[in-house]
Every structure is written in structure tokens, then in C-alpha cells.
Amino acid sequence: MVFIFGTPFPESQLVSKALRSFYGLGPQACTKLMARFHIHDTARVGALAEKQINNLAGELSEMTLENDARRQLQDNIKRLRDMGTYRGRRHAMGLPVRGQRTRTQIMNARKFNRVERRG
Amino acid sequence: MSRSICSRCLSRSQFTLETSASSPLPLNTAQRAAFSTTSALAANPPKKKGPVTAKPASRQGKTLRLNKNVRESTGKPPAQGERKAFRKKIVLSNTNALEVQGLQDLNLENSSAEKLAHLEGQVLALTDAQVSALRTLDVFKPTQAWNLFRKPATVIRKETVEIAKALESAQGGEDANAKQVIKRILFGEKGSGKTVLQLQAMALALNKGWVVLHFPNGQDLTNNQTSYHPDESGKLYVQPEYTANLLKTIASANQKVLSGMQLSMKHTLPFPVQENISLSRFAEMGANNAENAHAVYIALMKELTAPSKPTTGKGQQRPPLFLGFDAIDHVMRLSKYLNSEAGLVHAHDLALVNDFTRYMTGEHALPNGGMILAAVSESNRAASETLDYLLDTKYGAKTNWAEPRFNPHTGWKAEPMPAWSPYAPFDERVGKALEKMDVQKVEGLSKAEAKGLMEYYALSGVLRGAVTERLVGEKWSLSGGGIIGELEKAAVKTRI
């Protein structure tokens, strides 16, 4: 097990997969991060040097990740709701926000759109 | 006076707290929970107990599923890397194939251009030493039909003789001062035998005691699959693991030659080295430790390309160098590696490729003579417009464009000189790298060569029936004018 930013990862796992397991870190940020520390595409977590792990952790600590990212998302929705915007209202009602039809096919909106969105 | 709190348990209100006595509404118990701040609505409503339902049927859905449709797992799944190993497996011998009587070897005796010119159109086997060296150099490819024959053997064609001549002129013959460097790029249709021509050149070079270096696939260098980091200058990118692997192949393929040579110069290395260490041991040291591999590679190349001084004794006699590079199209463009700003790195900024291009341009000299033989891959061609254009124009300049030439697809035709597309950016670095390189188009076999090859197929028992002029002509035409890969497919690989 290798600890990156306090999270344990198995040594055989791809670095890109390990990085993307953090909420708020997607493919693009992952590519940039890996390029920054010269980690190749198929590098495994076990092959990282100590210095690279520390550098990654340093970078990750400056990013908005996990609960902070979730909170940011919730704050954005809350702000819309508090301002009384249409988008905020639709979030609160659990309905599509961007003008989709509501007669059918709003399963995802029902699932995700709420003020306290889970992220 | 009555107290509002029960004196026995201090918890239960004797009076309603949250409503005035004058409230007309009747109160329910939930509203009266005075010490709970949780909204009564927060709790999930208790589940209604419905009637007990039967277990769902084991099969759902309306599709008909018969037992035989169910895929059963057979044994354990393949282990990690097993399928790739199987795909890349190279089998060089087949005990079911007949042994060809009177098959000559491509040994030292037969490797002079003069001798080979006599043997043109015949198939010569590779010796065991050559096979083991070429196998380590990774020259055999899994797509070639080596696995159908008893021994790996190749047909001697016009181009082979020409390469043998070039090797002789590079070596300088009798005159030690007349050493040359032959720089050539092979291109031509898919399956035309570019890689096998490289293989033959390497086999000949090994016979002559040259040091042979080979990059078996340009794609492996550029596809961002091995570790990399910038070097001290920050301009080039070092690939430690690839370099270590390369050193391993160099050490093992040239074991005999390198073990007779010693380190003769002072190098700045990150680790202590015994002064008179043999070059093969030195290369192995780099192979065993990827971190040091690049420094060892640079030092080794310096040693190999230092001028020979035959008078000063042991360790100073240096053989010519053969530098091979297959699928060079992959390094004539941007690689997939990323710099620290997440921009693509040009393949010529990779230290190994950069070093190779310096030999191509002549920036790094080969004073002991040598040959740089690169080949373009057509089965996995990387898009490089500059390379395409330069190959075409260089070939056009060599041959006469106005003269009609035979193309099996279009017949006799004079093709127009290619023009550079005004919308595409010209890659100056590729242009510079190819400036000094000669180009050679590998075309189909002649009918005589095709006949020799097909006779070998027949003697090996892979091709049934007599090899007649008619059959040779038929297969020659089917294979687009003797394109050897297609000929092999048409005559041997296809099972009807």
C-alpha cells in the first residue's frame, strides 16, 4: 500500500486511476498533474519515487477536493436558491434545470437535483 | 403552586409548554415532545407492512433463455501479461516442417557481396549465433511466417547484395582509411521486406564482427508507456527503463565483441567504475540499474565511436557500428510524452532519439565506419507529413521523375513530383534529421527471386505441388508484383 495524500492505494494500481479516485479530480487535472511530475501514462503507484509522491501530495493539498469540492457544489446551488433564481428553484424542486422537457425522462434530475446535492 | 417539572424524573412536563392553554387545537403527542429539537418530519415514515409476497421467480424477463446460452467459465482467467506474451510470441522453428537439404547458411563465408551476388534468388538460413543475437535485438516480428519452417531463413535479393556491398564499403575493405558511413532509410509498400532487409544487414554486420545497435520499434519510444524525466539541462527527456533494456540487448547481442573491448576514457558517471572494465560488463552495469542507464549509454557510445588506434594495444581497436531503427516514422513527429506544462514533447527531444538523429545528421561522427539503416513501418504508420514529403522528393531526385515507372496498381506511368501542402506546417527538425540520409525504396521481388523463394517453400513441405513458371507467375502477380509479404500470404499462409 502506498499512501498518496493520506489515502492508501495498492501498488499495482495505475497512478491515473488513483488520482482520479479523489472527488474533484478528473481526467484533465490528472493529465496536468502527471505531466507536471513526469509520470508516464501506464505508471503504477508502486513505481512512484518518494519525491514524486510528496510532490503529488503537495499539489493535491492545494486543490479543492473531496468534501471541500462537494461543499463548493452545494454552496453554488444554495446561492442560486437564496437569490431566488429559476435554476435554484428547479434544483430545490428536483426538476430539470436547463429547460428539458418534464413530461418524461427526468429520472436523473429527480435523483440529483436538490439543494443538498451529495456531489 | 404547582411546578412545571415533575419532581420525580425532572423530564416530563406536567403542563404543555409550547402551546398556550387557550389554544383551541387539540394536541397530539408528537408535538408535545418538548426536549427534542429534531423535526418530526425528518424521520422516515414507518414502513407499511404489506402482505407477505412470494419470492420472485428465479428467471425474470420475457426472453427465452436456454441452458446452452449460458457461458460457462472454463478454468482460471489468463494471468497478467499472458495474453500479450502469447500475441508477441516469436516461434522460429517448426519441427513438422521438412528439413531442406542443401540449405546454405548466411555465414561469414557467404557474406561477401561477391558471393551473395552468385546466391541471389536463393534462400540462406541464419546461423544459431545470428538467430540468438537477432532475437535479443528483437528484429523478428510475430507477423512474419518464421513459425512455418524448420530454421529461420531469408531469401537473398538484389537489395541484400546491395546492402552487402554497402557494408563492405563502410568497412573500407583493405584500406583502413577509406571507412565510410552509409546512411539510409528504407521505405516501400507494406510487406515489401524492409524489416527483413534490416535483419539481413544486421546478420551480415554480426558476421563481420561489427557492433550492432537496434531500436526495434519507434512507437515504443514515443507512446508514453515507459518512465521519463528531464535530464540535467532540462531540454531533453531521458527514458531510464527503455535505456536499461536497450543496454541489455546491446550487451547480450554483442557479447563477443564488447567483452574484448575495454573502457578507455574518463567519463563522468554517477557511480564508481573499475578502470579497465570490459564494455560488455559496463553495459550490463547500466542495464542492471535504470537510474544510471542513460549515463552508461552516453559513455558507451563515446567509447564505441572513438577513433581506433591500432598501435596503442588492447582495447583500442574498435569495429564499425551498425545503427538500426525500425518504424522511424513514429519518431518523426510529436511524441505522446508531456512536458511539465502538459504540452506534447517532440520526439527529437527524447534523449535516445536525439542521440540517434545526431548520428543521422553527422553531428556525431562514426570514425570507424558504420551503417545507419532505418526503416519506415507501413503496417502501423505514424502520420508524419514531413517524412512522407521528404521520402518522396528524395526518391524522386534520385530517380528520374519524368520517366514512366511501373506501378502494379496503375501500370506504367510517370508520377508528378510531390508538392508540399501549403496548409501543413513543415517540421524543420525532421527536415534537418533527414538531410544527409539516402532513401531506398524496397520494391517487389523479381520473378527469379520469387521462384527461389517458392522452391524453398515447396522443399519445406509448406507449398504443395510443383513450382512451375506458371504458378510463380500467378503468385507473383497476386502479390502485387512480388511484394514478399503478400507472396508469403498467397503461397504459404492462406489455407484453403
Side-chain angles (χ1 to χ4, degrees):
Chain A
M1 286 290 182
V2 177
F3 283 83
I4 301 177
F5 197 42
T7 314
F9 293 104
E11 294 191 357
S12 59
Q13 193 164 61
L14 287 176
V15 177
S16 60
K17 187 168 181 189
L19 288 179
R20 280 182 289 170
S21 69
F22 292 103
Y23 180 85
L25 206 164
Q28 290 196 0
C30 171
T31 310
K32 277 188 187 158
L33 214 52
M34 284 172 70
R36 179 126 191 218
F37 301 116
H38 306 108
I39 303 168
H40 64 278
D41 281 351
T42 50
R44 306 265 166 187
V45 170
L48 288 178
E50 196 62 41
K51 198 179 155 200
Q52 281 174 317
I53 293 175
N54 292 340
N55 284 339
L56 278 177
E59 280 293 309
L60 291 173
S61 66
E62 284 169 19
M63 295 169 79
T64 315
L65 296 176
E66 296 290 349
N67 282 341
D68 291 342
R70 288 198 181 91
R71 197 170 303 124
Q72 200 177 44
L73 177 88
Q74 286 173 3
D75 286 351
N76 288 341
I77 298 173
K78 205 173 265 170
R79 181 175 50 82
L80 292 171
R81 208 259 323 250
D82 291 350
M83 283 194 304
T85 59
Y86 177 75
R87 279 171 64 199
R89 217 160 61 228
R90 299 294 280 182
H91 269 293
M93 289 193 292
L95 288 168
V97 174
R98 298 182 178 179
Q100 295 99 317
R101 65 146 56 200
T102 52
R103 190 173 180 174
T104 59
Q105 300 180 344
I106 55 164
M107 300 306 280
N108 283 338
R110 284 228 178 100
K111 203 156 55 181
F112 297 120
N113 290 358
R114 56 189 62 194
V115 175
E116 296 283 310
R117 184 169 174 156
R118 286 173 61 209
Chain B
M1 189 188 151
S2 61
R3 282 168 297 177
S4 60
I5 298 176
C6 167
S7 57
R8 265 192 305 185
C9 65
L10 295 170
S11 68
R12 215 167 290 154
S13 166
Q14 289 183 320
F15 293 67
T16 54
L17 290 172
E18 286 156 310
T19 51
S20 65
S22 60
S23 171
L25 294 169
L27 298 168
N28 61 32
T29 48
Q31 277 171 321
R32 258 190 281 139
F35 283 105
S36 169
T37 54
T38 317
S39 159
L41 292 169
N44 289 332
K47 270 187 184 170
K48 276 182 192 168
K49 276 189 180 171
V52 179
T53 51
K55 257 175 81 179
S58 60
R59 188 168 67 80
Q60 288 182 331
K62 285 179 181 173
T63 51
L64 173 69
R65 186 182 283 181
L66 298 170
N67 274 343
K68 63 182 173 186
N69 288 349
V70 178
R71 184 177 292 181
E72 281 173 25
S73 65
T74 50
K76 58 173 186 180
Q80 195 181 6
E82 196 181 315
R83 278 172 294 187
K84 186 176 183 185
F86 185 73
R87 201 170 70 234
K88 301 272 174 195
K89 193 168 71 171
I90 286 157
V91 180
L92 295 179
S93 162
N94 186 344
T95 43
N96 292 326
L98 299 177
E99 202 165 344
V100 179
Q101 299 301 321
L103 181 68
Q104 293 191 55
D105 278 345
L106 187 62
N107 49 22
L108 184 59
E109 210 177 291
N110 285 337
S111 48
S112 71
E114 205 185 347
K115 194 79 188 273
L116 283 177
H118 287 294
L119 294 169
E120 198 184 316
Q122 283 190 38
V123 176
L124 297 191
L126 300 171
T127 62
D128 291 344
Q130 281 169 340
V131 171
S132 73
L134 293 171
R135 200 193 251 279
T136 29
L137 288 168
D138 210 3
V139 197
F140 298 107
K141 303 284 170 194
T143 46
Q144 298 158 344
W146 303 111
N147 59 344
L148 295 176
F149 304 96
R150 180 61 75 103
K151 274 181 92 174
T154 55
V155 65
I156 304 302
R157 54 197 286 187
K158 196 178 79 224
E159 288 85 351
T160 317
V161 180
E162 207 182 305
I163 291 263
K165 260 185 212 154
L167 283 168
E168 275 170 15
S169 69
Q171 212 166 15
E174 303 279 296
D175 184 6
N177 296 326
K179 286 179 173 161
Q180 286 179 30
V181 184
I182 309 289
K183 300 171 180 178
R184 198 171 285 180
I185 288 194
L186 305 174
F187 75 111
E189 269 186 68
K190 178 179 170 180
S192 55
K194 302 173 286 293
T195 302
V196 175
L197 202 56
Q198 269 187 325
L199 180 146
Q200 288 176 329
M202 272 179 245
L204 294 174
L206 285 167
N207 277 352
K208 290 172 192 288
W210 289 31
V211 174
V212 179
L213 260 80
H214 185 53
F215 294 85
N217 190 354
Q219 194 183 27
D220 294 343
L221 273 164
T222 59
N223 61 2
N224 201 348
Q225 307 276 310
T226 67
S227 58
Y228 75 116
H229 61 80
D231 68 350
E232 300 86 50
S233 67
K235 286 177 186 162
L236 298 178
Y237 291 86
V238 172
Q239 292 160 292
E241 267 154 38
Y242 190 96
T243 316
N245 201 20
L246 181 70
L247 283 172
K248 199 171 137 196
T249 62
I250 295 171
S252 116
N254 303 292
Q255 178 69 34
K256 207 171 149 197
V257 187
L258 291 186
S259 56
M261 294 168 75
Q262 289 177 348
L263 210 61
S264 65
M265 288 183 266
K266 285 270 174 211
H267 302 281
T268 45
L269 292 166
F271 57 95
V273 179
Q274 189 191 328
E275 257 186 33
N276 59 349
I277 191 171
S278 76
L279 288 188
S280 73
R281 276 284 305 132
F282 183 58
E284 275 163 15
M285 280 175 85
N288 293 337
N289 189 348
E291 276 175 29
N292 300 333
H294 190 69
V296 171
Y297 176 77
I298 295 291
L300 182 71
M301 291 307 280
K302 265 191 194 154
E303 289 284 340
L304 291 175
T305 57
S308 284
K309 288 176 199 146
T311 47
T312 47
K314 207 188 166 196
Q316 300 294 313
Q317 185 74 39
R318 295 184 178 94
L321 200 59
F322 181 96
L323 294 173
F325 204 118
D326 207 352
I328 201 162
D329 39 319
H330 285 275
V331 301
M332 291 297 163
R333 60 174 194 165
L334 292 173
S335 77
K336 278 198 171 169
Y337 284 100
L338 300 172
N339 59 23
S340 50
E341 274 80 52
L344 291 174
V345 171
H346 195 284
H348 290 192
D349 282 334
L350 301 171
L352 284 176
V353 180
N354 192 280
D355 197 54
F356 192 85
T357 53
R358 278 164 195 258
Y359 288 106
M360 282 162 71
T361 55
E363 222 170 303
H364 286 339
L366 296 175
N368 308 316
M371 176 181 262
I372 300 171
L373 193 65
V376 170
S377 158
E378 285 297 340
S379 53
N380 179 21
R381 181 67 190 260
S384 171
E385 287 187 67
T386 315
L387 178 71
D388 294 346
Y389 173 76
L390 289 172
L391 287 177
D392 279 353
T393 45
K394 273 172 176 277
Y395 180 65
K398 225 172 101 175
T399 54
N400 187 5
W401 275 100
E403 203 175 274
R405 64 192 81 206
F406 181 72
N407 180 334
H409 308 297
T410 53
W412 286 95
K413 209 171 148 191
E415 283 172 32
M417 192 78 174
W420 178 252
S421 157
Y423 301 107
F426 187 84
D427 194 338
E428 294 294 341
R429 305 181 75 175
V430 173
K432 192 176 165 244
L434 296 185
E435 222 166 51
K436 304 263 171 68
M437 296 294 281
D438 187 15
V439 298
Q440 183 182 353
K441 189 168 189 177
V442 183
E443 282 168 312
L445 297 177
S446 70
K447 276 202 183 149
E449 288 160 355
K451 185 162 186 258
L453 185 62
M454 286 178 69
E455 274 165 1
Y456 170 72
Y457 289 162
L459 288 173
S460 295
V462 200
L463 181 72
R464 294 286 175 86
V467 179
T468 56
E469 290 293 328
R470 188 189 154 85
L471 183 73
V472 172
E474 181 195 315
K475 298 295 181 199
W476 187 86
S477 303
L478 269 179
S479 58
I483 297 296
I484 190 164
E486 297 295 325
L487 187 72
E488 193 175 72
K489 253 189 225 169
V492 175
K493 277 189 183 171
T494 312
R495 290 267 163 261
I496 305 165

